[in-house]
Amino acid sequence: GSITHILIFASGASKVPLAGFQGTPTITFLEPGLGQSLPTANTCSVSLNLPMCSTFNDFSEGMALAIACAKTFGIA
């Protein structure tokens, strides 16, 4: 995925708003073994929660899956 896909995943926006985001966007790295294997995001607070992975490939695959599954967020 591109940086735009990551921005959409974390914020719900495809571009940074002209006035910026309300609050400071955050990234939290989650320790292994907490039962969370895929990245998650909170679009209200523009926060990204990334599980620690043993390899970059594991991280990359998890991020791609999380982004792919979030494409229908908010669509009914």
Side-chain angles (χ1 to χ4, degrees):
S2 70
I3 193 74
T4 302
H5 292 122
I6 295 169
L7 180 63
I8 293 168
F9 179 71
S11 70
S14 60
K15 295 180 182 177
V16 175
L18 292 177
F21 291 109
Q22 186 174 6
T24 303
T26 61
I27 298 175
T28 303
F29 295 96
L30 306 172
E31 301 226 7
L34 294 179
Q36 188 169 350
S37 60
L38 291 177
T40 60
N42 182 320
T43 57
C44 295
S45 62
V46 190
S47 60
L48 190 57
N49 304 303
L50 303 175
M52 300 292 286
C53 298
S54 56
T55 68
F56 179 76
N57 189 54
D58 289 346
F59 168 77
S60 181
E61 287 178 1
M63 194 73 208
L65 179 60
I67 289 171
C69 290
K71 286 183 179 179
T72 57
F73 175 77
I75 298 174

